[in-house]
Amino acid sequence: MIAPSLLSADFARLADEVQRIADADWVHVDVMDAHFVPNLTLGLPVVQAIQAVSPVPLDCHLMIEHPERWAPGYAEAGARNVTVHAEACTDPRAVARDLKAAGALAGLAIKPGTPLDTWLDVLPEFDTLLVMTVEPGFGGQSFMPEVLPKVREARRLVEAGHLQLFLEVDGGINADTIEQAAEAGADVFVAGSAVYGADDPARAIAALRAQAARAR
Ligand code: DX5
Ligand code: ZN
C-alpha cells in the first residue's frame, strides 16, 4: 500500500490535495505536538475536516505525548489506522484496545533508535507496526537503511505466524529507496515529498507501487 503524507501537501488546500491522491491506499496524516517532536502540525479538528472530504482512508501518525488521552479521538473521527509512538506510551496495550474498540486499526511506531525486541510482547495487540526510517519531526529527510533489520525481523515473525501486522515504513521513501524497504518486508510505504513533490502525484503513486511490488 502507498500512503502519501499530507505533511508535504499544501495546508491551505487540503481538500484538493487529498483529491490529487485519490488512487492511494491510505492518506498519511502526521500529527505533531511540539513536545514529542520539535515540530507542530495539526490536530483533531483538522483531521475531522480532512476525514469529511477524503476519498482515501486516513492513516493518522500521532507524534504526540500522552497518546492514551488523545489517540481514541482520531479513531472516533473515522481514521482507518491510528498509530501511536511506543516511546510515548505508558500502557500500549490499553491504547491498542481503545483504538480497536473505536473501530480503527491500531498502530505502534518506533523511532530509528528504538529496538524492536522491547515491544515484541505488546505487538500481538496491534494491527500495524510503523518503523521510522528517519527521525520523526520533519519531511524531506534522508532514508536510514540501518533500520531495515527491524523490518526484516518483524517480517520474519509475521511469516512464522507469531504476529499479524501491516509493516509500514515512514521517512525518505522514494524511487531510490522503496525497493530496499520492500525487499526487507515492508508492505505499507509512506511517501511525502516523493508524491507531493512530483509533477503528477497519481503517476508517482503508481510508479512507487509498481517498484515495491517488483521488489517484494
Ligand atoms: C516525519 C513524518 C513523515 C514525513 C515523511 O516525521 O512522520 O510521515 O511526512 O516525509 P518524506 O516522505 O518526505 O520523508
Ligand atoms: Zn509519518
Side-chain angles (χ1 to χ4, degrees), residues 52-65:
V53 297
S54 179
V56 181
L58 268 56
D59 172 33
C60 293
H61 177 193
L62 306 187
M63 286 160 275
I64 62 170
E65 290 181 354

Side-chain angles (χ1 to χ4, degrees), residues 165-186:
L165 291 167
F166 288 117
L167 299 182
E168 184 170 17
V169 283
D170 182 9
I173 299 294
N174 57 38
D176 296 328
T177 59
I178 195 167
E179 289 174 10
Q180 303 168 55
E183 182 278 327

